[in-house]
Every structure is written in structure tokens, then in C-alpha cells.
């Protein structure tokens, strides 16, 4: 008999009905001649009871069951007696009296228990990913992932977007992260690259007049992995023609509002907060600030520029800043040793020191208090809106070090002091980005977003003369302190694109070799266009409440980019290499199987 | 002003309204002081008129317009005068009196006209793909592609399927087509492979209890390309647990019925025809027969086995067959020379000769007629249901050559004689496939579908003793003579999977090295499962009426797997190769740029 119900559907509403279940043995216990078995499938768990008085044959099967056996169960749904009701289970008011049962497949004892709160090592979970994915919380995450993409697709479809697939085997473009390469067998010595994003292809679709494109697109970066990076990741990718930055921002606000409603059942504010890059850095020391709490950075450079405390006045003199955060009411809880530890934490972000003051009724206390007496103290207290019991933490350094160090401290206190309401989702647009970042090591400018981002029209004349001051028509969407995605208006004129490549240090030949087709396309009637891309994996992570990106990907790679389940990457045969006209370097030949 | 309407929406219903359009100049002509311009966007074309009496400034812009300029147009929609109505255009009853106009971007004269019936070379179309995609028919195809996936997703979603993404960077499994390889930078000398299908991962998801999975999945094969093959292609991929082959067949019939309704507005028969592999080969000489027309293969081996015509009797004696097709009423149209040409056509499929007879009132005529007089002739005519004017074409050879040659001739006549109703969509299931195919050259069996296909339960005991006779729980879906996709029940027991690999010539070590994780997974409680995958590109091709698979892919590769737009594959830098510990072979080093 085929399945009549999923386990999770067997509740009070089907009492008195016969059901047929297919699932896995979650737990089995013998109690007074009866065998109780929890049968699990993707929907949940229901208790079934083998009673020899009801079916001796079924009870014999029940005897043989072990954890993770695959079973077929038929029987009558009955109400549990009052004392047996389990209110923590959605099927806890009923049980199934088994009259027919069969073992569909046996199972060895699994290397870890199939339950949500497992403390087994992640490597073991990845090696036995098919067991790890049996944990109900994992299924819920992938259900949510599927729900998110469904909601996004439905919204974009209603808005007239067309889903178009772009190639995975494409061209290597060294500007950006490191490419994964794919050797060509037909064209000896040549390579495809896996795309870091569908950027150029979606721009081509705009040149083609497709007008509104989207794709849930797989992208690839061969970078050293961090906890929140994977070699392959998925983007919600879109591009539109003839739309202003404002149009695109508002469209995506509506998208996110709808998605949060569909997936989380939450009504969020339809208009998101906006903040310039500069303001975000000034107030939060971050270009992706978590605005669910305050504890903002307070600039006191003007107050201390003439201070006798040379660390402060010197920093200002050298073009840097002095800023503080006011950690309210905690002064009494932080010993000198505790504050030293905070200093070590700040040092990771480049701060050479962490100055501090404790605020008391009579003024400020601490090693540097002597520099801030009378009016100087009062001015600081006023600026910091401080009161007795507050702890003021200062960093004096270049603007970027001050931002990094105090921004990180702010987040640390936000989490540790419970300042963050985790039930809240705060979306935030960051706008007015610089177009370029100067890299001291490379001695040249890099594109802050990517080389296809349109400058502000009014900054166009500074593109070559003062690149650092040129602003980009770019915008990032931040959620709870994470960058969800970034968008921009794109360059659609050849002359601007050429200047852009020139600032980035491309020779004319290099620009033509790598992006000639793009610049040529601009000459055949290219509409103004722009778009945005969101990291789907990160979105799932934030909405599922996970902190591990790998939990959002069905078959993820480890930090060394390995798949522990299938054992990829792996050696290939000499014959395969020869077909590709490749040889692995000598020192590795012994690793290549024959 | 932002766009108020797409061009294609400017019809009688908006007469008297002002509209704002954004689009491309399709055509411009001067007529008696007026300038008429067709403005195109993805929705269609509308005629706008520049009249200096309405706006001199706009008319000056109108003067400057050339084909493919990007323009912004504003004006009043008016009815065309009676003589000017163009009934072949959906906007042919109106025109827009331009009062504001702007050139958004200029355009060079394109290398080919943007219109549907272009005879320009495909290479040029691919190099300027962004212009090629401007042709309305191309946009329609991608709209249909988007509609197909939308319909499929909606259906599967309602059926409780979960969309799950599986990895693109995975493990090379030499059994099957040739893999695309991706060198690992972190693990020197090791490689990922791009998936030929998500087969193993979707099976893992079934082991995980995900129950119903689907994905619109990108797949890759490094094979020599034919007109209907691409290095990357897209599958509608699904897998289900605890469902019989019959359940899965019926589900997919409902899927296709719904999709044909959503996409083509057609109601097709909800129950598809079914045919065993053997019957398809016998009757049509093909495992993917086009059943929109007859002209079936007729077996006359029994009638000719004692014939004095040694070609026939000899073939039967050697274990082969003699079959014919009866091409009705065409005998008079085919000269000896014509029939010789048919023989050459048949020779391509391995036929050593093509015997023939023309049927006349008094019997059969032709070079071999002397062998078929009296009763022998009458028996043939009866079996072939022939009448005067028919042409009988015979092939005598091994069963497979007979099938190939007569099957191809059948299709050729079907097309050339107009026997096929192109408005009809005939879906057909092919069932009862052999599990293995023997490859004479390799001297071993290969899996006819793939090594994970479940044999018929009742054939299990012949798996090792008589592999050739074992039938597979596999089924293909055929549409109008094209294989749309194939599915099967999968092996879910380790012992059967081991036997399978053993028949395929794997040593225990090889099987374990490549598929150890699969066989281990089978021991941890694997449900019975099965699934199917359809070729999306081919489906789009058939429903859009195209004959070129490349027209269904936005950025396809050529027959030598090149992307003529971006120029992929291409050389990469020595630095990139070194990071991967690879060297291209010596003879190619000069092709690698530095």
C-alpha cells in the first residue's frame, strides 16, 4: 500500500482512520509487552505501537526494528490515553496501532544520532552528509531555502522579469577574485573559467533589449575560504534597463518585504533606512552596520586636538581621528585586566592602543583622566552623553583603523551585553560609495565594486584627475550587519568604460583583449541599465537563524574546498590529463593515479 | 519621464493618451516632411511620427535617428487614418505623435538586420549574440523557456517537491561521457569534475529522506558536439522516494499535460501511449519513434527465409532479418536512379543494399521480382498491405542494421512526403529497456542508461549469468521522435549495486574508490527511490518549433565548444597555471600568454 499520510500529518484530525506510513525508525522501546516506535519522515514524527494482540506478525517485525531502519507501517490512528499525551509533539495526542508492517531496508547503527542538537564534529557530519540532512532542523533550512527562491521567483515573474540562464563555461577575467579554470580539450592550452557572477552576460542581455532579467545563479570563486565563504555560491541576480537607481532600490524593497512575508510571516517596514557609506563608517565604523542597536562611534577629534595627551592630539595632527564608544553603565564591571583584554581585541584590527575613562559623579577616572580635567572632562561627557557608571573607550589612529577597531568593539559589546533583539530584521541601504579603492601594495586603484559601475554624472570629469573622490552609483543592501548584496547602475558608454579601465591600469590592448566585446556592444545601441545581486546562501543563513553558511548548502565544501562525502577533488587518470594536453607538475605526478 | 508603456502595448485602447516609450529604432523613413520611426522593445513595435508642426525640437531629433539608436519618445497616441492601418501589426491601428524625444545612446550600423528572417551566417550571429537576441523570434523563444520552467516549478511545488541545489564542483566518475575537469589549487594534482547530471546527489537526498526533490540543473559533457548537443545543458531533474515506476510515470504525464496547457495553450491526451523498447525497434526501427505517422517496418523474414534470393534467405539464415517499408503510391515517382540514391542513404546506416519492388496490378516489378512470383508475391503484398502504385523497400541484415536503415528511411519519407502533422505533439513512453548494452570494441557490457538503474526484480538472478537478458526498470519519454528524457527506479541495496559494478567490469577497489560513499549510504537506511530527467533545451526547441538547439540557449557554444562572443576558451596567464601547479604541454606553451 502506498503512503497515505506523512508522519507529521497524523494528528487528532485522522483519529479513527487507517493510515499507511513510510519512514525511518527514530526510536524504539519495549514497554510491558508493547513496542513503541517513533516513525520519522521529512514532515515529522509519529508514534506507532506494535501490540501482539492486534497483529502477531507485525509485532514480530517490530521486534526486529532498529534505529534508521526504513519501514512501511499500516494501522489505525487512535487517541492516546490522557497520561500518554505529549504536548511538545504536533502528533503527540495520537498513536498508530500497527496491524501491518514491513522492513523496507535495514540500517547499520549510524555514526551519530539523527537529532537536532548534535555535538558531533562537522567533518563527520559532512562525510555522512546524507545522515546529517536527516536532522529535522536541516530539512527545515532547505525547505526555507526553497521557499525563499519560490517567493523571489514569483515576485520577479509578476514584475515582468524573464529568467535566463547564462553560461558556466566562460572566459577568465583576472580583474576580481581568482577564477576556477577548466582546460579545453578541443582548444589545446586554452581554458574556460567558471563565472564569478553573470555580470557581463546580464549586461549583454540588456544590450539585447531583454529589459528585465533574473536568475538564481551559481557563481564560483577560488579564494581562501572563511567561515562565510564557499567556492561555489548562489546569487539572486537581476538586471533592468531604463530604470533609475531609485527605481531599482524601491523594487528590491518590495521584493524583500514580500519575501519576508512569504517565508517568515513577518511584516517589515516597506521603506528601508538609507545611509551613505561615509555616514556608516563615521557612526558605526562599518560599511555594513548592524543598526539594531546604538553604541555609535562618537568623534571627539575636535575636543582633543590640543590635548596634552599626545596620543590624541598627535593622531589628529597626523590627519587621523579620535573616537570613542560609550558603553553605558558597565564601568564597575570592567577591571583594568578586562580592559587590557579589550585592547588586545582592538589590536587585531590595527589599533595600537585602547584608551579609556570611567565616568563617575565627580568626573572621569582612569590613567588618562589627568589630561581631562574641568572643562575638558565636561566637554567629553557632554559629547558622549555620558553619566556616572559609563565606560568610554577611545581609539586614536587613522580613520580606517579607528573605524575597524571601534566598529568591531561595538559589535562585540552589542552581542555580549545583549543589546541586539534577534527577532528583529533591519534592512539598510548603504549608498554613495567611492568608485575606487587605492591599494598601497599594488600601487594602483581597484574598483570598489566592479569595473562596470557607473560614476556619479557630476563626478565624471574627475575620473582621471582625482579618482579617489569619484562616487559610484552603487548601493549595498545590509541586513542585521551582513551584506546581503550590492547593486549599481552600469557604465553603458564606451568612452567612460575605457577611462575606467585606464584608471585601473589596463593598457588599451589588455582592455580590448579581455573586455573588447563589451565595449563593442556599447556601440550598437546599449540602453542605460543597472542591477543587483543578493547572496542566497547568506540570506538563508540569516533567516534560518544559523551562523554557519555550510548549513545552508546541501553538499558544501570544507575550508580546504573539499567535499568529504564524495571525496572531491581527487586524482584523475593519466589518460584524462593527456586528452587535455596537461601535465600536473613533476612533484605531484606520484599523486596522479594511472 | 520613465516608460509608461511597452511599444507592443500601444494599441487602440490607449488612443487619446500620452505615452512615454523607451526602445530601439527599428526603421526610419522620411515621407513628405514627416519622419516615421518604428520603435522596438521586447514587446513589439509601434510607429511614431515626428511632425515639425507638433514639435520642431523633436523633429530635429527625428532627423538624426538611425537604426538601433536607443531613444526616449513621448507623445499622444492617435488613430491612423483608414488607408494607413497595418492589420499585420498588433499596434497597426495607431501611431504616436511625438512631442518630446531624446537620443539615449547612438548605434553603429549593425552587421546584420534585426529581423526574424535573417540569412546571415550563424557564426556572425553568435559573435554579435547581443544583436541576434534582439530579433523578436529569439525573445519569444526565451520567453517560452522561462514559461516552461515556471510551469514546471509551479507544478512540482504543488506536488510537494523541494528545489535543492547540488554541487557543480564535484568528483570525476569516468563511467559515462567525458568529464570537464577543474584543477584544484589547494590540493595539488587533484581535480574536480563538472557534473554530467546530479544523479548521485539526488540519490543522496533520497537517503536523507527529502522524499521529493527537483532542480532545473546545469549539466556538462565534454563530448564531440553535434547539432543537438552542447557542452553545457539544462535538465529538469527530479527524484522521489517510496514511489513505483507507475506513480512516477503518471506524475510526469500530469506535469507535461499542465506544461503544454500553460505554455502552448494545448490540451493533450492525459494518458500517453506506451511501447516496449522491443516493439519500438520492431515497428519503427527506433528507440524514440515519431508516432505521428505510420509507414511502419514490416517483418517478412518468415516469408523469405527459403527464397532463392540469397541476400534475403542468407540474412535470415545468419540470424538476421528481412524487413520492408511500404511507401504508398509513390512507385511511379521513383526512378532507378532515385532508388539508388535511397540505397546510398541507407548505406550510411550500415545497410549493404536496398532491395525494392514496385507493386502493380499484376504483381511486383523490379530487379528482384523474378524471385517473387505467384504465391511468394501474393504473400508479400498481403503482409505489406500493398496495392498497385506502392514502393516496397527492403533491408536484409542484422536486426540492428535493419532497424537503423529502415528507421532512417521511414523518417526521411515521413518528412519528405508530408506525412507528419507538425501541429501535433505525441508523447510516448518507451519501457522495458535492456539493462546492459554489449560493446564489441571494449569487449564488455555498458549500462544502457546508467549503472544505478534497478533491474526487474524477476531478472535479478540473471544479473551475473545472463546480463544481456536482464531488463531495466527504466522508461524514456519521447516527443515527436525526440528523446525528451529518461527515468528509472534506482538500485537501493548494496548487494545489487556491487553486482552491477562487477558486470560492468569494475574491480572491487575501483567500485569502492569511485562509488564507495554511495554503497555505504545504502547501508544506513536507504528508501526505494527513482526519478527522471528531461532535457530542457530540447523541450524548448520542440515547443518553439526550432530545429537548432543553439537557438534555445542564450549564449551557446559552437560545434568546437567556443563562445564566439566572449572568445572562450582562451589562453590564461602563466601565473594562473603556476598557482594550479599545471603546465600546458610543451607544444602549446607558445599559445599561453604571459
Amino acid at each position: 500500500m502506498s503512503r497515505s499520510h506523512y508522519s507529521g500529518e497524523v494528528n487528532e484530525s485522522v483519529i479513527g482512520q487507517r493510515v499507511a506510513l513510510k519512514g525511518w525508525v527514530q526510536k524504539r522501546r519495549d514497554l510491558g509487552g508493547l513496542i513503541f516506535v517513533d516513525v520519522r519522515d521529512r514532515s515529522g514524527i509519529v508514534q506507532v505501537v506494535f501490540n501482539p494482540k492486534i497483529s502477531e506478525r507485525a509485532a514480530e517485525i517490530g521486534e526486529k526494528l532498529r534505529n534508521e531502519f526504513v519501514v512501511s507501517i499500516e494501522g489505525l490512528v487512535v487517541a492516546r490515553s490522557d497520561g500518554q499525551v505529549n504536548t511538545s509533539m504536533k502528533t503527540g495526542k495520537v498513536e498508530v496501532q500497527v496491524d501491518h508492517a514491513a522492513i523496507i531496508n535495514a540500517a547499520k547503527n549510524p555514526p551519530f544520532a539523527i537529532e537536532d542538537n548534535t555535538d558531533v564534529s562537522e567533518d563527520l557530519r559532512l562525510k555522512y552528509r546524507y545522515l546529517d540532512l536527516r536532522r529535522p532542523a536541516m530539512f527545515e533550512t532547505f525547505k526555507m531555502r526553497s521557499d525563499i527562491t519560490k517567493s523571489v521567483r514569483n515576485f520577479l515573474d509578476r514584475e515582468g522579469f524573464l529568467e535566463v540562464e547564462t553560461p558556466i563555461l566562460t572566459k577568465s577575467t583576472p580583474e576580481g577574485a581568482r577564477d576556477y579554470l577548466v582546460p579545453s580539450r578541443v582548444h589545446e592550452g586554452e581554458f574556460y573559467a567558471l563565472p564569478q557572477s553573470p555580470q557581463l552576460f546580464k549586461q549583454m542581455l540588456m544590450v539585447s533589449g531583454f529589459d528585465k532579467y533574473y536568475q538564481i545563479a551559481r557563481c564560483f570563486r577560488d579564494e581562501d575560504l572563511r567561515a562565510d565563504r564557499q567556492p561555489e555560491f548562489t546569487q539572486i541576480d537581476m538586471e533592468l534597463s531604463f530604470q533609475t537607481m531609485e527605481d531599482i532600490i524601491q523594487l528590491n524593497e518590495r521584493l524583500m518585504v514580500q519575501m519576508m512575508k512569504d517565508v517568515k510571516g513577518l511584516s517589515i517596514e516597506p521603506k528601508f533606512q538609507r545611509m551613505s557609506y561615509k555616514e556608516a563608517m563615521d557612526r558605526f565604523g562599518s560599511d555594513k552596520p548592524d543598526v539594531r542597536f546604538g553604541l555609535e562611534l562618537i568623534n571627539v577629534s575636535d575636543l582633543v586636538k590640543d590635548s596634552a595627551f599626545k596620543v590624541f592630539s598627535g593622531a589628529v595632527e597626523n590627519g587621523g581621528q579620535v573616537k570613542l564608544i560609550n558603553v553605558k553603565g558597565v564601568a564597575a564591571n570592567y577591571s583594568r585586566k578586562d580592559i587590557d583584554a579589550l585592547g588586545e581585541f582592538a589590536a587585531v584590527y590595527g589599533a595600537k592602543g585602547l584608551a579609556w575613562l570611567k565616568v563617575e559623579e565627580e568626573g572621569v577616572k582612569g590613567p588618562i583622566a589627568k589630561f581631562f580635567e574641568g572643562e575638558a572632562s565636561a566637554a567629553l561627557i557632554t559629547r558622549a552623553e555620558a553619566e556616572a557608571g559609563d565606560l568610554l573607550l577611545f581609539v586614536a589612529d587613522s580613520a580606517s583603523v579607528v573605524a575597524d577597531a571601534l566598529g568591531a568593539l561595538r559589535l562585540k559589546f552589542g552581542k555580549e551585553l545583549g543589546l541586539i533583539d534577534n527577532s528583529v530584521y533591519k534592512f539598510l541601504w548603504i549608498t554613495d560609495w567611492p568608485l575606487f579603492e587605492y591599494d598601497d601594495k599594488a600601487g594602483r586603484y581597484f574598483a570598489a565594486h566592479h569595473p562596470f559601475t557607473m560614476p556619479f554624472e557630476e563626478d565624471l570629469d574627475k575620473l582621471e584627475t582625482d579618482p579617489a573622490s569619484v562616487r559610484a552609483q552603487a548601493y549595498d543592501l545590509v541586513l542585521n550587519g551582513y551584506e546581503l548584496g550590492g547593486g549599481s547602475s552600469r557604465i553603458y558608454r564606451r568612452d567612460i568604460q575605457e577611462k575606467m579601465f585606464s584608471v585601473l591600469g589596463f593598457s588599451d590592448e589588455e582592455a580590448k583583449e579581455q573586455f573588447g566585446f563589451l565595449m563593442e556592444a556599447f556601440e550598437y545601441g546599449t540602453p542605460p541599465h543597472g542591477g543587483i545581486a543578493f547572496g542566497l546562501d547568506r540570506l538563508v543563513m540569516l533567516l534560518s537563524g544559523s551562523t554557519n553558511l555550510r548549513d545552508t548548502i546541501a553538499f558544501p565544501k570544507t575550508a580546504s574546498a573539499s567535499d568529504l562525502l564524495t571525496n572531491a577533488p581527487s586524482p584523475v587518470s593519466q589518460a584524462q590529463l593527456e586528452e587535455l594536453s596537461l601535465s600536473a607538475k613533476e612533484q605531484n605526478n606520484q599523486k596522479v593515479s594511472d
Side-chain angles (χ1 to χ4, degrees), chain A:
Chain A
M1 199 175 152
S2 59
R3 174 192 274 145
S4 70
H5 294 76
Y6 281 112
S7 290
E9 296 168 347
V10 183
N11 55 27
E12 309 90 284
S13 72
V14 290
I15 286 174
Q17 291 182 29
R18 288 194 82 244
V19 293
L21 309 174
K22 311 273 179 187
W24 284 259
V25 173
Q26 175 71 24
K27 203 162 68 181
R28 170 188 170 282
R29 54 210 182 285
D30 285 25
L31 265 180
L34 302 179
I35 299 167
F36 293 85
V37 171
D38 284 351
V39 176
R40 186 194 69 238
D41 60 32
R42 74 180 209 185
S43 71
I45 281 172
V46 68
Q47 175 171 291
V48 307
V49 188
F50 293 84
N51 183 342
K53 287 182 194 152
I54 287 173
S55 166
E56 209 156 317
R57 266 179 77 179
E60 279 166 25
I61 300 284
E63 285 286 351
K64 292 182 190 152
L65 297 183
R66 297 294 177 270
N67 282 358
E68 301 308 317
F69 272 38
V70 185
V71 291
S72 172
I73 297 289
E74 293 173 37
L76 188 70
V77 182
V78 298
R80 294 197 197 182
S81 57
D82 280 355
Q84 302 303 315
V85 167
N86 180 342
T87 52
S88 70
M89 284 171 77
K90 60 183 175 176
T91 64
K93 292 187 176 162
V94 304
E95 60 191 17
V96 178
Q97 288 180 336
V98 184
D99 52 43
H100 284 80
I103 295 173
I104 299 178
N105 213 344
K108 293 199 293 193
N109 199 30
F112 49 86
I114 309 301
E115 52 194 33
D116 280 338
N117 296 311
T118 175
D119 58 354
V120 72
S121 81
E122 193 178 10
D123 277 5
L124 199 67
R125 287 175 48 202
L126 291 174
K127 178 170 160 59
Y128 293 97
R129 188 63 163 177
Y130 48 87
L131 298 178
D132 193 36
L133 290 173
R134 283 186 192 166
R135 298 189 298 117
M138 292 298 271
F139 181 78
E140 284 311 311
T141 299
F142 290 97
K143 175 79 170 63
M144 176 179 282
R145 188 176 175 115
S146 190
D147 288 346
I148 289 173
T149 53
K150 194 199 317 175
S151 170
V152 168
R153 287 181 197 285
N154 287 345
F155 176 87
L156 294 175
D157 179 56
R158 287 193 302 271
E159 292 280 339
F161 282 75
L162 214 67
E163 185 182 17
V164 181
E165 295 177 70
T166 56
I168 297 290
L169 291 170
T170 177
K171 185 184 166 81
S172 180
T173 54
E175 186 75 10
R178 195 186 287 112
D179 286 325
Y180 277 104
L181 298 180
V182 182
S184 162
R185 178 178 53 86
V186 182
H187 305 272
E188 286 187 16
E190 300 192 345
F191 294 79
Y192 305 95
L194 306 184
Q196 296 181 26
S197 86
Q199 183 64 32
L200 294 174
F201 289 106
K202 68 178 180 172
Q203 292 194 241
M204 288 299 110
L205 289 174
M206 295 302 102
V207 181
S208 300
F210 273 43
D211 207 61
K212 292 180 178 175
Y213 142 94
Y214 88 95
Q215 186 180 193
I216 311 285
R218 201 73 61 87
C219 307
F220 306 84
R221 282 186 198 161
D222 185 10
E223 293 297 321
D224 300 314
L225 305 180
R226 302 192 310 243
D228 64 344
R229 282 276 176 87
Q230 280 278 310
E232 47 182 310
F233 55 99
T234 303
Q235 273 182 198
I236 301 169
D237 191 55
M238 71 180 78
E239 194 81 5
L240 304 84
S241 294
F242 302 113
Q243 307 259 331
T244 63
M245 201 168 99
E246 187 60 37
D247 294 332
I248 297 179
I249 283 180
Q250 289 184 16
L251 174 93
N252 280 284
E253 288 178 348
R254 287 185 282 122
L255 168 66
M256 288 294 157
V257 166
Q258 184 65 50
M259 190 273 295
M260 290 299 286
K261 187 152 194 239
D262 291 345
V263 175
K264 300 285 290 185
L266 289 177
S267 292
I268 58 168
E269 274 296 315
K271 201 161 159 44
F272 299 170
Q273 188 181 351
R274 296 189 197 181
M275 196 179 285
S276 72
Y277 168 81
K278 189 175 170 311
E279 182 182 350
M281 296 302 290
D282 282 350
R283 290 175 53 193
F284 301 97
S286 168
D287 60 7
K288 43 180 190 286
D290 188 336
V291 290
R292 287 175 300 176
F293 68 105
L295 200 58
E296 296 188 16
L297 280 55
I298 297 165
N299 196 335
V300 293
S301 303
D302 58 323
L303 302 182
V304 303
K305 67 180 193 309
D306 301 318
S307 170
F309 184 45
K310 289 300 170 198
V311 171
F312 283 7
S313 51
V316 179
E317 205 175 307
N318 291 329
Q321 294 181 330
V322 181
K323 286 188 169 181
L324 64 82
I325 53 174
N326 174 1
V327 195
K328 302 293 290 178
V330 303
N333 309 335
Y334 281 78
S335 66
R336 239 165 226 265
K337 213 174 130 190
D338 293 338
I339 298 175
D340 285 348
L342 295 175
E344 282 164 33
F345 176 85
V348 173
Y349 298 89
K352 288 182 287 290
L354 184 69
W356 56 276
L357 288 170
K358 289 184 174 179
V359 182
E360 300 188 350
E361 292 296 349
E362 53 275 26
V364 296
K365 280 276 161 66
I368 65 167
K370 60 182 174 219
F371 300 110
F372 299 97
E373 290 179 339
E375 270 183 38
S377 165
L380 278 182
I381 286 173
T382 304
R383 176 73 57 86
E385 297 179 16
E387 55 199 344
D390 292 355
L391 173 65
L392 308 182
L393 298 171
F394 297 81
V395 175
D397 212 309
S398 69
S400 77
V401 168
V402 170
D404 284 357
L406 280 182
L409 273 172
R410 172 182 178 268
L411 278 182
K412 181 182 166 68
F413 281 111
K415 279 170 202 158
E416 289 179 1
L417 301 179
L419 305 179
I420 302 173
D421 180 350
N422 282 313
S423 71
V424 166
Y425 293 89
K426 281 236 177 171
F427 289 88
L428 167 71
W429 292 106
I430 304 292
T431 61
D432 300 315
W433 290 80
L435 188 63
F436 298 104
E437 282 167 358
Y438 192 79
D439 185 311
D440 288 319
K441 223 167 104 191
R444 72 162 172 101
Y445 286 101
F446 282 84
H449 277 74
H450 54 54
F452 317 109
T453 305
M454 185 74 177
F456 271 50
E457 301 275 352
E458 56 267 42
D459 295 350
L460 273 176
D461 55 345
K462 296 185 287 188
L463 202 49
E464 284 163 310
T465 54
D466 184 14
S469 75
V470 177
R471 288 161 303 162
Q473 294 191 35
Y475 39 92
D476 271 12
L477 184 59
V478 172
L479 172 57
N480 292 356
Y482 286 86
E483 183 204 331
L484 265 195
S488 65
S489 300
R490 323 297 187 187
I491 297 170
Y492 64 100
R493 277 168 40 194
R494 180 171 189 139
D495 57 336
I496 302 176
Q497 190 68 66
E498 279 175 346
K499 277 185 199 156
M500 186 78 187
F501 286 131
S502 156
V503 175
L504 295 173
F506 284 62
S507 71
D508 286 358
E509 294 70 41
E510 285 166 344
K512 203 180 155 196
E513 159 68 24
Q514 285 177 37
F515 300 108
F517 69 97
L518 175 73
M519 293 191 287
E520 190 175 11
F522 288 167
E523 298 190 290
Y524 284 108
T526 294
H529 59 285
I532 194 165
F534 299 108
L536 175 63
D537 311 307
R538 194 172 287 170
L539 184 60
V540 175
M541 187 179 86
L542 290 171
L543 297 195
S544 68
S546 174
T547 52
N548 183 345
L549 204 73
R550 287 184 288 274
D551 284 348
T552 71
I553 295 172
F555 300 99
K557 307 281 194 296
T558 64
S560 67
S562 295
D563 176 351
L564 299 182
L565 170 63
T566 63
N567 196 27
S570 56
V572 298
S573 72
Q574 200 57 43
Q576 283 175 286
L577 289 183
E578 273 167 19
E579 276 195 311
L580 297 172
S581 304
L582 281 184
S583 53
K585 273 198 170 169
E586 270 176 30
Q587 69 267 32
N588 309 309
N589 274 354
Q590 75 279 5
K591 294 183 74 177
V592 177
S593 74
D594 212 333

